[in-house]
Amino acid sequence: MQHFDVAIIGGGPAGLTAAMALSRSLRRVVVLDSARPPRNAFAEEVHGIVGLDGVSPGEYRRRAWDDLKKYGMAELHEVTGTDVTPDPEVGFTVTAEDGPPMWARRVLLAAGMVDVHPEIEGFGECWGKTVIHCPFCLGWENRDRTWGVVTGDPEFAATAVAGFSAWSDDVIVLTDGATPAGEWGGEVVEGKIRRLHHIGGDLRAVELADGTVIDRQTLLWQLDQRPVPLIAHLAERLGLATDGDGYVEVDGSFHTSVPGVYAAGDLVTEAQAAVESAAGGSGAAFQIIADAGRP
C-alpha cells in the first residue's frame, strides 16, 4: 500500500492549489481526481484567476500538473474516492472504486458539489454559455444583454436587479413556479419554465408551462446542489458534519468535525468561484502544514 502525507480528494482549483503548497513544503501528496467529466466541463473558459484568465478547464488542469511535476511530490490518480477510514494509529486508509487503497496521514476533501440540472428542453445546450450560475464567472461575457434571474428565494431576488445592474440594465426575476411569501423586488414572473428557446446555446426566450414566451438573452439560475456520494457516505459513517444543504461544515481553519480531515472549495460554501476555491485550497494546505508541527 502506498503511503502519503496528504490525500487530496478532488482535482479542481482547491485540490490543485493545495497540492502545490504541500509539494513546495516537501509533503508527499496524492490527488484523487475522477476520470469523469468535471462539474465545469460545460464551461469554455475559467475566469478570475490572474495570469490564467480565459483558459479552458482542461488547459487549467494541464498547466497545473505541468507545474506540480516540477517538484515530484504529487501523484495524480484518476480514480473516484469511495471511503476514508481512520487508522487505529494516526492516519487514514483511502479507498477508490477503480484503484488500490492507499494510506495518508491527513485527508483534504476538495471534491466540490454536484449541480442538479432541471429537465427542461434547451437547458443543457445553454448551460455554461447563456445560462450561468455566477455573474463573476460569466457576467462579462453576458454583459449588455437582457437577464432573467431564476430563483425561488425572495431574499436573493430582492437584491438581484440592483446587484446585477453592472452587467445588465434589464433584469427580471423568474420564479420557476416557486413563489413563497416575501419581498421580491423588481419585476417578477411566476410560472413553471417549460422550454428555453436558443440558437446553438445562445438563449433567445423562456417559455412557461402556460405557453407564455418571455424574451431573455441570459439566465442566472440558482441550481440546487448535492454533495458527491463520498461526502454523503462520510456524513453517515464517520459523522462528518454537514449543514442542511449538504455543505461540509468547517471551522475558520478548514478543519471538519473529523480530526485529521480538512475540507475546502465549493463543498464548504455557496460562494463558489475558481479563485475562491483556489484560495480555500491554499489556506487548507497551510493549516495542514501548521498542524503537523503540533503535538
Side-chain angles (χ1 to χ4, degrees):
M1 182 184 297
Q2 285 185 284
H3 283 57
F4 298 92
D5 293 305
V6 183
I8 300 173
I9 301 177
L16 292 173
T17 304
M20 173 60 75
L22 291 163
S23 291
R24 286 180 53 80
S25 300
L26 301 175
R27 267 60 175 189
R28 190 157 180 248
V29 177
V30 60
V31 179
L32 282 68
D33 191 17
S34 174
R36 299 176 185 131
R39 180 181 170 204
N40 64 352
F42 293 91
E44 295 180 356
E45 299 177 335
V46 176
H47 293 285
I49 301 180
V50 174
L52 293 174
D53 190 64
V55 301
S56 69
E59 177 67 6
Y60 172 83
R61 285 173 169 79
R62 187 191 67 75
R63 292 191 191 185
W65 278 105
D66 282 348
D67 289 342
L68 286 166
K69 287 174 184 176
K70 299 172 187 174
Y71 299 97
M73 301 299 294
E75 290 186 16
L76 170 63
H77 290 207
E78 292 187 295
V79 297
T80 302
T82 56
D83 206 356
V84 174
T85 304
D87 192 279
E89 300 297 329
V90 177
F92 302 86
T93 298
V94 179
T95 56
E97 67 181 22
D98 36 17
M102 58 202 77
W103 183 92
R105 189 171 301 278
R106 299 284 188 270
V107 173
L108 172 60
L109 303 174
M113 295 288 279
V114 177
D115 293 318
V116 180
H117 290 189
E119 295 183 3
I120 293 174
E121 182 181 338
F123 181 91
E125 292 85 347
C126 296
W127 178 242
K129 301 180 182 73
T130 54
V131 176
I132 65 178
H133 81 289
C134 168
F136 298 103
C137 300
L138 290 170
W140 172 270
E141 287 69 30
N142 283 274
R143 67 194 185 281
D144 301 328
R145 295 163 64 92
T146 57
W147 280 35
V149 178
V150 183
T151 180
D153 180 355
E155 184 177 352
F156 179 78
T159 65
V161 174
F164 300 146
S165 61
W167 295 284
S168 173
D169 59 6
D170 185 349
V171 181
I172 66 172
V173 175
L174 299 112
T175 69
D176 193 25
T179 317
E183 178 56 48
W184 287 78
E187 181 182 348
V188 178
V189 178
E190 301 181 27
K192 194 72 176 171
I193 297 174
R194 177 169 65 189
R195 180 180 297 114
L196 302 184
H197 296 265
H198 66 95
I199 299 175
D202 190 3
L203 184 68
R204 292 292 189 267
V206 177
E207 181 180 336
L208 303 182
D210 65 3
T212 301
V213 176
I214 304 162
D215 291 337
R216 290 290 100 178
Q217 296 171 306
T218 296
L219 296 181
L220 189 143
W221 201 307
Q222 272 201 315
L223 292 183
D224 290 334
Q225 295 182 337
R226 58 178 170 80
V228 300
L230 172 63
I231 300 303
H233 172 70
L234 295 181
E236 179 179 347
R237 194 179 66 78
L238 286 186
L240 180 72
T242 59
D243 67 14
D245 295 318
Y247 296 96
V248 176
E249 294 184 349
V250 293
D251 64 14
S253 299
F254 304 94
H255 300 107
T256 71
S257 60
V258 179
V261 177
Y262 304 73
D266 290 353
L267 83 171
V268 305
T269 178
E270 293 183 50
Q272 299 173 353
V275 68
E276 295 284 352
S277 293
S282 179
F286 293 158
Q287 190 62 49
I288 291 170
I289 294 163
D291 288 348
R294 297 188 177 124

